[in-house]
Amino acid sequence: NAGVTQTPKFQVLKTGQSMTLQCAQDMNHEYMSWYRQDPGMGLRLIHYSVGAGITDQGEVPNGYNVSRSTTEDFPLRLLSAAPSQTSVYFCASRGSTAIQYFGAGTRLSVL
Amino acid sequence: DQQVKQNSPSLSVQEGRISILNCDYTNSMFDYFLWYKKYPAEGPTFLISISSIKDKNEDGRFTVFLNKSAKHLSLHIVPSQPGDSAVYFCAAKTQGGSEKLVFGKGTKLTVNP
């Protein structure tokens, strides 16, 4: 019963490097989202998807790209990492209710 | 402009007593509210929710109260246990606002034995 799985758990990047944060869910949920959590800021929505092939921007989308080619996967791409993207990233999914289920997070540091 | 506010960054309570966590919101279009609990190095986990058509929802030791006229909700934990020590986030969504959960900044609850 894996739920929402995020990889990697930790990552250190240099400014300008690119990387992809992986997110997979095995609950057949249509809706998936990416959030970032910064100290004192709560969780802020980056991008979300209401189904395969459909994505949209959240509150803080700049510097991030997403795609949704399958129901299960929703990767988050950083094309050119910046120190301001140092954060903890959470992926979430939900089914037919409003309750979102979160992964364990990816802690990213950009030097 | 913060639409969901948790004005107490931290709260300390004795084991066995009641914990009351508060949340205020400004958007009158919010129609569903959720509380999440988060332990260090883990993702948030859903705790309890309430629809705007209700004023109370109860689940075991956890009760959420909603006062729509005051745009205020609260989470009551009775009795509090040391394992309840965590950060609690209040979140809200608008009707038809599919993925846009708006979170408060969280309140760190410490339950002392």
Side-chain angles (χ1 to χ4, degrees), chain B residues 44-69:
Chain B
T45 56
F46 170 73
L47 190 58
I48 193 170
S49 62
I50 189 167
S51 166
S52 60
I53 63 174
K54 296 185 175 181
D55 56 16
K56 177 183 175 181
N57 188 27
E58 194 170 356
D59 184 2
R61 296 186 297 115
F62 303 92
T63 303
V64 56
F65 295 92
L66 175 62
N67 183 334
K68 283 183 65 178
S69 60

Side-chain angles (χ1 to χ4, degrees), chain A residues 51-74:
Chain A
I54 306 169
T55 64
D56 206 346
Q57 295 181 350
E59 180 185 356
V60 287
N62 292 340
Y64 307 96
N65 282 347
V66 292
S67 60
R68 184 93 180 273
S69 56
T70 68
T71 299
E72 294 78 20
D73 300 297
F74 190 42

Side-chain angles (χ1 to χ4, degrees), chain A residues 31 33 37 40 48 94 100 103, chain B residues 36 38 43-44 89 98-99 105:
Chain A
Y31 303 93
S33 309
Q37 185 192 11
Y48 65 97
R94 75 170 181 90
Q100 296 199 18
Chain B
Y36 282 85
K38 186 182 180 305
F89 290 99
S98 56
E99 290 314 291
K105 294 183 178 181

Side-chain angles (χ1 to χ4, degrees), chain B residues 13-37:
Chain B
V13 172
Q14 283 300 117
E15 181 178 5
R17 305 293 293 268
I18 185 171
S19 296
I20 301 176
L21 294 92
N22 294 304
C23 179
D24 297 295
Y25 62 95
T26 58
N27 189 342
S28 58
M29 298 301 291
F30 287 146
D31 71 335
Y32 199 82
F33 303 89
L34 306 90
W35 284 94
Y36 282 85
K37 176 179 177 180

Side-chain angles (χ1 to χ4, degrees), chain A residues 43-97:
Chain A
L43 283 82
R44 292 183 292 168
L45 182 64
I46 304 171
H47 284 286
Y48 65 97
S49 169
V50 299
I54 306 169
T55 64
D56 206 346
Q57 295 181 350
E59 180 185 356
V60 287
N62 292 340
Y64 307 96
N65 282 347
V66 292
S67 60
R68 184 93 180 273
S69 56
T70 68
T71 299
E72 294 78 20
D73 300 297
F74 190 42
L76 179 72
R77 297 183 184 85
L78 285 71
L79 299 180
S80 178
S84 61
Q85 294 178 304
T86 293
S87 188
V88 182
Y89 292 85
F90 292 102
C91 179
S93 73
R94 75 170 181 90
S96 57
T97 73

Side-chain angles (χ1 to χ4, degrees), chain B residues 80-110:
Chain B
S80 301
Q81 300 174 353
D84 296 329
S85 298
V87 177
Y88 289 79
F89 290 99
C90 173
K93 68 175 289 290
T94 56
Q95 186 176 16
S98 56
E99 290 314 291
K100 297 187 179 181
L101 274 186
V102 180
F103 283 83
K105 294 183 178 181
T107 296
K108 182 177 182 180
L109 174 66
T110 302

